[in-house]
Amino acid sequence: MKIVIVGGGTIGWLTTFVMSKIRPKHQYINITSSNIPTIGVGEGITGLFRRILTDPFYEINEYDFFVKTKSVPKLSIKFDGWNKDNKSFFHPIEGTITSDKFVDTALFYSILKGYDVDDCSKTGFLSNRNKTNFQVFGGKVNIHDPGLHAYHVDNEEVGKYFKDLSLKNKVKSIDGDIDKVICKDNKIKSVVLSSGEKIDADFFVDCSGLTKVLIKHLSDEIVSYDKYLPLNEAIIYDVDTDEDSISPYTTSTTMDSGWKFKIQKAEGTGRGYTYSNSFSDETKSLEELNKFYGKNVTHLKTIKFNNTRQKNCFVGNCLALGQSNYSVEPLQATGIHCALVQLNDFMRNCFEDDIDMMTNEVVVKQYNQRTAKICDDLVDFIMVHYTGGKTNTDFWKYVTYDKPISDKVSDILNLSKTRLTRWDDFDTYYGCVNQIVWNTTLAGLGHFKKETIEKVFSTWGLYEEMLESELEQHILDMRNFSFVCSNAKSVLELLK
């Protein structure tokens, strides 16, 4: 079988590598255009990405990846100013120490007794102290408790890394622009490059991003999330600051008409301001940034986007992955997470040696249903971030009082106030966003009240002495563990 993957960057070349590794008998061609630059702001990835790095089947040395791609350890996301009290909180990579239980008792007990909620998570504890789970010792970098971290990555460097691995799998790489897509019977037969070269294939994967080079020729049906997600433009910028530390977390800080982000990179810092063009524009947003920093920022580019997904991402003999399928505001790294879920789901349930098996109508239908589910659930999760009760600007008043929310978000907020969330309140499936993901955000936004927790604990007869002992032991263990952990700056300085 001949397979064409269109698009480079993290998703394009990762997809090419994974496919060529799992079924090496197929013929693979990756078409990437050097005329389409990467955004270059850096990217935060989720723990799901590390499963590929650490899966013995793929034969990747995680340390080699870490060094060659100039990645930075990421343990969490810090949210500044997202609740009505303007307090900060961390959203950790792995949840709290009890978030995988039926009731997240460690989190609720921390709120009830006034503990720092961030400390009931391993990565929250380390982030709170600007530590990583990496140790610099004897001129080497050791990784402790490897399940704790993800990475901040440079999209271009990660693309190069997986391109090199793909070429070792005998993948053919073509630098070119696609001028024409030839279709017949709702399937792609071939693509024609600007050079005039015509390339036929049995199956196509569209990783071309917002341009949707392939999938738009088979389906233009989209599902819009615009009424739920308010932001649709982003300024990418740079600014000179006196900051010397390198944080093991992404920072998201609320602004007048949206939020700005800071992503640590090995060389420099990626920054952007994502806003709603119904309340601001490029000029106003730049002025706001200049005022925030007390100096002029350097405007690099402005990106416009719609919050959408394909109604069906698998059509005929073409699969749309990444932003070709799901494109929303870049909060909580849901874009890269969705793409990884899509890719792994396709490998597990669809990818075969026979094209008819791959494109069986039931296989395609079920895949599209699962992908639609993860996209919609991720949007619900993004949506809940705007329920912290901020009202300091027209934008935040609109978000708090007038912007609609989905039934799912409404239900979760109701349960949070009346009897607390539990494991069964969230759908569980591969790649899902369940209470492990939701609860620390709900807590940080102020949705869990002490009086509700006290009532539930009393009703359930939970022994507070046992809960306190469990939490205190965790904090003690983490204090001891943090002594051998280094900060991100020390780790990167050694690698340089």
Side-chain angles (χ1 to χ4, degrees):
M1 190 188 307
K2 190 175 181 181
I3 299 173
V4 168
I5 302 99
V6 176
T10 299
I11 294 303
W13 279 111
L14 177 62
T15 299
T16 304
F17 166 70
V18 169
M19 294 183 80
S20 61
K21 184 70 174 178
I22 289 178
R23 297 201 178 275
K25 293 181 180 180
H26 297 325
Q27 180 184 354
Y28 298 91
I29 300 174
N30 179 289
I31 303 173
T32 303
S33 173
S34 55
N35 294 322
I36 303 176
T38 58
I39 295 176
V41 70
E43 185 172 29
I45 59 176
T46 65
L48 197 58
F49 186 91
R50 288 197 60 256
R51 296 185 188 179
I52 294 175
L53 297 180
T54 57
D55 188 329
F57 172 79
Y58 292 113
E59 301 178 293
I60 298 173
N61 183 300
E62 184 183 2
Y63 188 77
D64 179 69
F65 168 86
F66 173 54
V67 173
K68 288 183 179 177
T69 61
K70 304 175 184 178
S71 297
V72 177
K74 172 192 171 186
L75 303 188
S76 62
I77 301 174
K78 184 179 183 181
F79 288 92
D80 285 335
W82 282 79
N83 50 47
K84 61 183 177 183
D85 298 323
N86 248 14
K87 293 182 179 179
S88 300
F89 66 92
F90 285 100
H91 181 270
I93 287 291
E94 93 303 351
T96 76
I97 57 172
T98 57
S99 60
D100 61 344
K101 310 299 183 184
F102 182 61
V103 177
D104 195 351
T105 52
L107 181 137
F108 296 137
Y109 186 78
S110 295
I111 296 172
L112 181 64
K113 297 300 181 181
Y115 284 89
D116 189 334
V117 173
D118 297 325
D119 284 353
C120 64
S121 152
K122 291 181 179 180
T123 50
F125 186 99
L126 292 173
S127 297
N128 229 351
R129 291 152 182 81
N130 204 36
K131 292 288 190 78
T132 70
N133 58 318
F134 288 49
Q135 179 193 30
V136 176
F137 183 76
K140 295 181 180 180
V141 175
N142 301 312
I143 302 176
H144 295 288
D145 202 344
L148 288 183
H149 67 278
Y151 289 106
H152 290 135
V153 300
D154 183 309
N155 184 284
E156 188 171 354
E157 293 295 332
V158 173
K160 289 178 182 177
Y161 186 84
F162 283 106
K163 177 181 179 179
D164 289 343
L165 293 180
S166 298
L167 296 179
K168 291 178 182 178
N169 291 346
K170 299 181 180 180
V171 170
K172 181 179 179 181
S173 174
I174 297 177
D175 182 353
D177 296 298
I178 294 177
D179 269 2
K180 187 176 182 181
V181 177
I182 301 174
C183 302
K184 184 179 180 181
D185 299 327
N186 207 37
K187 292 184 178 180
I188 298 175
K189 305 300 291 183
S190 58
V191 295
V192 181
L193 305 184
S194 56
S195 64
E197 181 182 1
K198 182 180 178 183
I199 301 173
D200 301 316
D202 301 292
F203 195 80
F204 294 81
V205 184
D206 189 344
C207 299
S208 63
L210 298 177
T211 56
K212 302 188 178 190
V213 169
L214 300 178
I215 195 67
K216 66 184 179 184
H217 293 277
L218 297 179
S219 175
D220 59 0
E221 292 184 272
I222 62 168
V223 174
S224 174
Y225 299 118
D226 282 341
K227 73 174 182 178
Y228 295 130
L229 302 183
L231 309 187
N232 48 25
E233 291 189 16
I235 286 175
I236 308 302
Y237 67 93
D238 196 9
V239 62
D240 291 327
T241 68
D242 297 328
E243 297 173 351
D244 185 46
S245 63
I246 297 177
S247 304
Y249 48 81
T250 306
T251 303
S252 174
T253 305
T254 56
M255 300 289 282
D256 286 353
S257 300
W259 50 274
K260 69 181 184 69
F261 61 84
K262 183 177 76 171
I263 296 176
Q264 299 286 178
K265 298 195 293 184
E267 298 174 355
T269 303
R271 302 180 190 270
Y273 178 7
T274 309
Y275 58 89
S276 167
N277 64 12
S278 296
F279 293 87
S280 187
D281 56 31
E282 182 182 284
T283 300
K284 291 179 182 178
S285 297
L286 286 170
E287 289 174 352
E288 186 185 354
L289 287 169
N290 292 341
K291 183 178 179 180
F292 180 91
Y293 290 105
K295 62 178 70 175
N296 289 340
V297 303
T298 301
H299 179 207
L300 302 178
K301 65 181 73 174
T302 297
I303 301 168
K304 298 183 179 183
F305 57 91
N306 295 314
N307 295 292
T308 64
R309 68 166 169 85
Q310 290 289 124
K311 182 178 180 181
N312 293 303
C313 63
F314 191 172
V315 182
N317 63 339
C318 180
L319 172 67
L321 267 174
Q323 287 191 317
S324 297
N325 170 49
Y326 170 82
S327 173
V328 299
E329 61 176 85
L331 192 64
Q332 286 277 16
T334 65
I336 184 74
H337 181 78
C338 183
L340 291 170
V341 173
Q342 265 197 272
L343 176 60
N344 288 332
D345 185 351
F346 185 79
M347 294 300 109
R348 288 153 46 116
N349 296 304
C350 309
F351 198 29
E352 305 288 349
D353 286 333
D354 182 85
I355 188 64
D356 292 329
M357 292 173 65
M358 281 175 60
T359 57
N360 173 277
E361 61 178 335
V362 177
V363 170
V364 171
K365 180 183 72 173
Q366 291 180 344
Y367 180 86
N368 282 327
Q369 289 171 341
R370 290 192 299 271
T371 301
K373 172 66 173 171
I374 182 64
C375 291
D376 295 349
D377 285 356
L378 287 169
V379 167
D380 284 336
F381 178 53
I382 295 175
M383 207 184 308
V384 82
H385 290 73
Y386 292 96
T387 64
K390 284 180 69 70
T391 57
N392 61 314
T393 67
D394 288 343
F395 168 77
W396 288 103
K397 288 176 184 176
Y398 161 74
V399 163
T400 297
Y401 297 128
D402 299 321
K403 186 182 74 62
I405 60 175
S406 67
D407 291 343
K408 177 67 176 181
V409 173
S410 178
D411 289 347
I412 293 298
L413 294 181
N414 180 296
L415 293 172
S416 300
K417 294 174 183 175
T418 56
R419 64 95 158 115
L420 307 180
T421 54
R422 301 167 189 176
W423 185 265
D424 292 346
D425 296 330
F426 304 90
D427 295 331
T428 301
Y429 54 92
Y430 176 75
C432 66
V433 278
N434 53 23
Q435 75 170 10
I436 295 174
V437 180
W438 277 72
N439 274 2
T440 49
T441 296
L442 289 166
L445 294 172
H447 290 302
F448 298 128
K449 305 299 183 183
K450 286 186 178 181
E451 54 268 26
T452 306
I453 298 171
E454 196 166 29
K455 185 188 300 184
V456 171
F457 276 23
S458 174
T459 302
W460 279 46
L462 292 172
Y463 295 101
E464 291 189 12
E465 295 84 0
M466 181 182 69
L467 299 179
E468 182 174 15
S469 174
E470 180 182 34
L471 188 58
E472 289 284 1
Q473 185 61 53
H474 159 71
I475 291 174
L476 178 62
D477 290 343
M478 287 307 300
R479 283 176 181 158
N480 293 332
F481 176 62
S482 66
F483 287 141
V484 301
C485 296
S486 303
N487 59 43
K489 184 178 180 182
S490 299
V491 174
L492 295 179
E493 284 179 347
L494 178 63
L495 293 179
K496 289 180 180 179

